[in-house]
């Protein structure tokens, strides 16, 4: 097992996990932190894995690239300008990222299948951007929770059976942009749930390509706008809005069930 504990200002780490070795990075670390982990094989007792656990307190930059069976738990809090750039390629990837402060950025890319990503942001001007590459099997989960002021979320998911859950609680306008399914190849059994509450002027934009997809948007307070586009067969839509609101729904395909709209 390779274990590296980091407490320095700027760190560059490259760990190669071979055979039965596991690459593990953990510790408290302020400043900039860069790590690359590659799993190149399996050993007795099963597959190797890459793991990162890190806590940062001010002016944080965290950049990680993992290949294999991957696990990241990261906390960035306090101060301003927290940034996390994470790439995971393999199967059964798990990411749990928390950011607190102002001007937070989370840029996440997962490629493979049976992947889970959870991002929590609190503070002002938060931005979360998540992409997941094509998956032909397994279930993939994406969960984002933001709170504070003027939050923005963008999610792009392609492949099979993606579930996305986004919750925004903001004192000012929040935006969500979710895309599921390849525009040309489509997707199957994807679902997306968006909840926006707190401030006024919330915007939710959801696009789904493929069959048997589910879309749900709930918006609270005034001047909300929801837009949903679905291309494929057997897709389902539910929109709930409170306060002054507008919505737009476009469905192209066959065997489309009734749309559920609740406005109060």
């Amino acid at each position: 097992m390779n274990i590296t504990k980091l407490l320095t200002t700027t760190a560059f780490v490259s760990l190669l996990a071979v055979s039965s070795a596991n690459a593990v990075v953990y510790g408290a670390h302020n400043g900039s932190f860069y790590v690359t982990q590659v799993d190149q094989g399996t050993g007795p007792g099963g597959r190797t894995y890459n793991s990162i656990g890190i806590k940062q307190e001010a002016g944080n930059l965290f950049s990680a690239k993992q290949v294999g069976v991957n696990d990241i738990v990261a906390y960035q809090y306090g101060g301003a300008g927290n940034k996390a750039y994470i790439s995971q390629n393999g199967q059964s990837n798990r990411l749990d990222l928390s950011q607190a402060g102002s001007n937070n950025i989370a840029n996440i890319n997962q490629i493979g299948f049976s992947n889970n990503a959870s991002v929590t942001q609190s503070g002002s001007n938060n931005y979360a951007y998540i992409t997941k590459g094509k998956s032909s099997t397994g279930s993939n989960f994406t969960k984002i929770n933001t709170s504070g002021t003027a939050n923005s979320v963008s999610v792009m998911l392609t492949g099979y059976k993606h579930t996305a859950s986004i919750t925004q609680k903001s004192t000012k306008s929040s935006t969500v942009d979710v895309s599921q399914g390849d525009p040309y190849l489509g997707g199957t059994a994807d679902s997306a749930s968006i909840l926006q509450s707190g401030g006024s002027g919330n915007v939710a934009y959801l696009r789904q390509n493929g069959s048997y997809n589910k879309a749900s948007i709930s918006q609270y307070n005034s001047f909300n706008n929801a837009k949903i586009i679905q291309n494929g067969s057997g897709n389902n839509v539910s929109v709930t809005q409170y306060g002054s609101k507008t919505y737009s729904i476009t469905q192209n395909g066959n065997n489309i069930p009734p749309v559920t709209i609740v406005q109060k």
Side-chain angles (χ1 to χ4, degrees):
M1 176 180 290
N2 299 318
I3 299 179
T4 302
K5 186 172 183 179
L6 296 150
L7 296 169
T8 56
T9 301
T10 301
F12 297 85
V13 179
S14 180
L15 294 178
L16 187 66
V18 183
S19 187
S20 61
N22 299 323
V24 180
V25 177
Y26 71 97
H29 176 80
N30 292 333
S32 299
F33 175 56
Y34 305 82
V35 61
T36 299
Q37 294 177 317
V38 179
D39 170 7
Q40 287 195 325
T42 59
R47 182 179 295 273
T48 61
Y49 69 91
N50 302 310
S51 181
I52 298 173
I54 187 169
K55 179 174 69 174
Q56 296 176 307
E57 295 181 353
N60 308 308
L61 171 61
F62 173 45
S63 177
K65 181 178 180 180
Q66 294 177 314
V67 178
V69 179
N70 307 307
D71 183 272
I72 292 179
V73 178
Y75 300 92
Q76 295 178 316
Y77 59 94
N82 301 313
K83 298 179 177 66
Y85 302 96
I86 297 171
S87 174
Q88 293 178 314
N89 190 336
Q91 66 181 45
S92 302
N93 298 314
R94 186 176 75 93
L95 167 67
D96 189 346
L97 172 65
S98 298
Q99 296 177 314
S102 59
N103 300 310
N104 301 315
I105 296 176
N107 191 317
I108 314 300
N109 176 248
Q110 288 182 321
I111 300 174
F113 59 91
S114 298
N115 298 320
N116 294 281
S118 176
V119 176
T120 301
Q121 294 177 318
S122 61
S124 60
N125 300 310
N126 302 313
Y127 177 65
Y129 177 62
I130 295 181
T131 61
K132 290 193 176 184
K134 296 176 180 178
S135 170
S136 59
T137 186
S139 298
N140 302 282
F141 297 94
T142 301
K143 182 178 181 181
I144 301 174
N145 292 300
T146 67
S147 62
T149 303
N151 301 313
S152 179
V153 172
S154 179
V155 179
M156 296 182 65
L157 310 172
T158 58
Y160 172 83
K161 207 171 183 179
H162 285 285
T163 299
S165 175
I166 295 124
T167 301
Q168 290 184 317
K169 297 180 180 179
S170 175
T171 57
K172 288 185 180 180
S173 302
S174 296
T175 62
V176 175
D177 188 337
V178 177
S179 175
Q180 291 179 311
D182 188 282
Y184 302 101
L185 301 178
T188 302
D190 292 331
S191 66
S193 174
I194 299 171
L195 170 62
Q196 295 175 312
S197 64
S200 61
N202 300 313
V203 177
Y205 185 24
L206 173 58
R207 298 176 301 280
Q208 292 178 319
N209 297 292
S211 300
Y212 305 106
N213 299 316
K214 294 181 180 179
S216 174
I217 296 177
S218 298
Q219 296 175 315
Y220 296 83
N221 288 330
S222 57
F223 303 107
N224 300 313
N225 189 347
K227 184 175 182 179
I228 297 175
I229 299 175
Q230 290 180 319
N231 297 306
S233 299
N235 296 317
N236 186 285
V237 172
S238 173
V239 175
T240 301
Q241 294 178 312
Y242 292 82
S244 56
K245 58 275 180 181
T246 60
Y247 72 89
S248 172
I249 296 174
T250 302
Q251 291 179 305
N252 301 305
N254 301 314
N255 302 318
I256 298 176
V259 175
T260 301
I261 303 294
V262 177
Q263 292 182 313
K264 296 183 179 181

